[in-house]
């Protein structure tokens, strides 16, 4: 007789603390999105569900500013959206130009190499945007390159790259473009059709303020043509677009079971996209810019300097240098313990050196800007830094009232 595993003791239902999320994602979910998530599940082939999936596709076309037929949400986090693009569009031996100016460009290299492609690097510093001139040089030096891949909004640094320019260069050279818009979608303009981008992926938990675990994607006709020309089967069963689409894009509405869609998460995505549509995407971009301006005004009063040069800063992800001599992790700990406020740490070469303050989606609210400035001022003062809380809050408020006036 083998002994049974005894039931674990000391574990009860999870008590979730109430936090304010101002890190690199996930962002705060709007109560309407939380409510949608809590609706009773229905079958993933239920006609009511199928109708909702069609609406999600339409709403995503609005969010991505595209008429691409092939626009839907991959069941998986942003990383699965990334992998879906690479696994379908890269074949063994393909040369892919990959721009790297932070963590996520590095992951693209991994994707290319694991698929048997060769990644030709265009490197820029952490905190710099991708330099389009370097992309142009790489395209000239590699006329046989198949695609250019880059991150529009580098969440590891807070830098935004010139997607229109990079996509344009790729197009002129006859290359596909693969664009990471995980942090930009809903926060700053993602203009898929205007740019002429071929494969764009995002995530649900950043500026869409939805539950983590869904990856909106969109593919151009050129990307679909590339897919049809493949010599090899897509090396992933789950992410093979040809198979997924028999479920998401079935001709004549006859959907074929592929995998069980995350029903409740899709209810939540639908709700967050309806909210984006109601707000208006330009208004959402403006809201992110406004809250960034207010936060920036306060941070500057506190003496905190930005990593990224002004014209390349992402409003939804503010990276500031940690003052000399300050215990970086200690500050984050205090913000969490005393103010229930989460901010992000630095990654890679920026670990220990910066904080990343997110203002994504529903997190981009005046009360959060004030909470963050107040909490930082009090915490830094407690550590002996001169930090004038009243002046920082006044600076932020003057931005809000200035705009409202
Ligand atoms: C968050 C993020 C990802 C990965 O998304 P996950 O949902 O964490 O898998 C990819 N790229 C960028 C730019 C991101 O910010």
């Amino acid at each position: 007789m083998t002994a049974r595993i005894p039931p674990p003791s000391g574990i009860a239902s999870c008590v979730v603390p109430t936090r304010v999320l101002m890190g690199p994602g996930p962002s705060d979910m709007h109560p309407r999105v939380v409510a949608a998530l809590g609706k009773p599940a229905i079958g993933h082939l239920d006609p009511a569900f199928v109708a909702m999936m069609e609406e999600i596709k339409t709403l995503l076309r609005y969010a991505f500013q595209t008429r691409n037929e092939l626009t839907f949400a991959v069941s998986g986090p942003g990383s699965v959206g990334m992998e879906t693009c690479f696994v379908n569009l890269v074949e063994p031996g393909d040369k892919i130009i990959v721009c790297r100016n932070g963590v996520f460009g590095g992951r693209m290299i991994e994707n290319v190499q694991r698929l048997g492609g060769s990644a030709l690097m265009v490197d820029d510093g952490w905190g710099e945007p991708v330099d389009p001139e370097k992309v142009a040089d790489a395209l000239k030096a590699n006329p046989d390159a198949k695609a250019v891949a880059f991150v529009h909004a580098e969440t590891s640094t807070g830098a935004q790259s010139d997607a229109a320019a990079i996509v344009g260069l790729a197009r002129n050279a006859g290359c596909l473009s693969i664009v990471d818009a995980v942090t930009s979608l809903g926060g700053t303009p993602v203009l898929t059709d205007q740019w002429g981008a071929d494969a764009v992926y995002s995530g649900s938990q950043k500026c869409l303020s939805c539950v983590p675990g869904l990856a909106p994607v969109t593919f151009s006709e050129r990307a679909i043509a590339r897919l049809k020309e493949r010599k090899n089967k897509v090396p992933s069963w789950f992410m093979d677009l040809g198979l997924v689409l028999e479920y998401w894009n079935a001709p004549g509405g006859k959907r074929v079971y592929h995998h069980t869609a995350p029903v409740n998460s899709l209810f939540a995505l639908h709700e967050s996209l309806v909210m984006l549509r109601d707000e208006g995407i330009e208004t959402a971009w403006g809201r992110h810019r406004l809250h960034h301006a207010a936060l920036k005004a306060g941070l500057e009063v506190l003496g905190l300097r930005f990593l990224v040069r002004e014209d390349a800063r992402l409003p939804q992800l503010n990276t500031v240098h940690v003052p000399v001599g300050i215990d970086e992790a200690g500050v984050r700990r205090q913000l969490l313990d005393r103010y229930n406020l989460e901010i992000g740490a630095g990654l890679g070469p920026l670990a220990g050196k910066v904080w990343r303050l997110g203002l994504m989606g529903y997190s981009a609210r005046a009360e959060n800007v004030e909470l963050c400035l107040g909490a930082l001022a009090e915490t830094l003062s407690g550590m002996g830094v001169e930090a004038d809380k009243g002046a920082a809050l006044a600076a932020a408020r003057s931005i809000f009232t200035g705009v409202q006036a």
Side-chain angles (χ1 to χ4, degrees):
M1 269 273 292
T2 47
R4 293 208 185 268
I5 309 284
S9 58
I11 302 178
S13 299
C14 178
V15 178
V16 182
T18 304
R19 306 284 199 210
V20 173
L21 301 179
M22 293 185 69
S27 55
D28 289 337
M29 283 194 279
H30 191 280
R32 274 175 59 181
V33 175
V34 177
L37 197 57
K39 288 179 182 170
I42 56 175
H44 68 112
L45 293 168
D46 185 309
F49 191 70
V50 167
M52 191 200 70
M53 288 167 74
E54 288 303 312
E55 292 185 352
I56 287 179
K57 292 196 289 190
T58 304
L59 291 163
L60 281 176
R61 288 188 193 106
Y62 174 65
F64 276 119
Q65 290 290 293
T66 184
R67 295 199 162 79
N68 286 342
E69 170 64 22
L70 183 40
T71 304
F72 71 107
V74 177
S75 302
S79 306
V80 178
M82 176 188 283
E83 197 141 353
T84 298
C85 293
F86 284 91
V87 93
N88 282 279
L89 297 176
V90 178
E91 287 196 84
D94 283 356
K95 279 191 185 177
I96 311 292
I97 293 172
V98 179
C99 307
R100 174 172 58 185
N101 60 339
V103 166
F104 294 100
R107 288 195 181 173
M108 289 175 155
I109 303 169
E110 279 285 320
N111 270 270
V112 171
Q113 291 174 345
R114 282 164 196 245
L115 293 165
S118 59
L120 311 164
M121 303 310 307
V122 169
D123 274 304
D124 279 291
W126 286 53
E128 301 286 331
V130 173
D131 181 351
E133 291 204 7
K134 291 187 190 170
V135 177
D137 291 344
L139 283 164
K140 251 180 237 142
N142 299 280
D144 53 344
K146 292 282 172 70
V148 174
F150 68 97
V151 180
H152 179 217
E154 214 355 304
T155 324
S156 62
T157 67
Q160 176 160 272
S161 292
D162 185 346
I166 301 165
V167 169
L169 288 165
R171 262 193 106 98
N172 289 341
C175 280
L176 291 185
S177 53
I178 301 176
V179 186
D180 179 319
V182 175
T183 280
S184 41
L185 193 71
T188 43
V190 173
L191 306 172
T192 303
D193 285 3
Q194 191 177 312
W195 296 342
D198 293 302
V200 188
Y201 61 90
S202 190
S204 46
Q205 79 279 25
K206 309 244 172 152
C207 293
L208 298 180
S209 274
C210 182
V211 65
L214 286 170
V217 292
T218 186
F219 296 89
S220 72
E221 289 300 326
R222 296 196 319 152
I224 295 167
R226 175 73 58 87
L227 190 59
K228 288 187 177 149
E229 284 161 14
R230 283 186 69 101
K231 294 177 211 76
N232 308 281
K233 260 191 174 180
V234 173
S236 158
W237 176 84
F238 184 74
M239 286 177 279
D240 183 335
L241 282 175
L243 300 176
V244 179
L245 291 178
E246 291 184 30
Y247 177 55
W248 266 96
N249 258 21
K254 278 197 78 71
R255 279 164 208 266
V256 179
Y257 167 66
H258 176 262
H259 68 279
T260 307
V263 171
N264 293 60
S265 299
L266 286 167
F267 291 158
L269 180 63
H270 185 275
E271 189 68 6
S272 67
L273 292 170
V274 164
M275 291 182 64
L276 180 65
R277 190 274 321 267
D278 288 349
E279 179 177 17
I281 200 155
E282 295 87 357
T283 311
W285 299 333
R287 178 167 50 81
H288 284 90
R289 281 196 306 272
L290 170 66
H291 290 81
H292 158 76
L295 182 66
K296 167 176 169 276
L299 291 172
E300 282 171 350
V301 169
L302 298 179
L304 295 169
R305 289 180 304 110
F306 276 78
L307 172 75
V308 178
R309 65 173 209 243
E310 192 147 9
D311 67 337
R313 266 177 218 161
L314 282 168
Q316 63 272 50
L317 200 280
N318 298 266
T319 303
V320 290
H321 293 281
V322 174
V324 184
I326 288 297
D327 169 14
E328 180 278 318
V331 170
R332 279 187 295 116
R333 185 81 236 184
Q334 283 200 31
L335 295 184
L336 197 65
D337 290 347
R338 295 197 188 156
Y339 304 89
N340 277 308
L341 173 64
E342 178 181 284
I343 65 168
L347 297 175
L350 296 175
K353 297 186 181 147
V354 298
W355 290 307
R356 292 181 299 150
L357 311 176
L359 284 171
M360 298 183 181
Y362 185 55
S363 289
R365 301 203 302 285
E367 65 208 74
N368 286 4
V369 170
E370 295 198 7
L371 170 72
C372 181
L373 290 172
L376 271 174
E378 285 172 10
T379 305
L380 290 172
S381 295
M383 293 177 167
V385 178
E386 228 177 274
D388 187 337
K389 176 180 162 183
L393 291 177
R397 282 178 195 143
S398 74
I399 299 284
F400 288 126
T401 50
V403 169
Q404 279 154 15

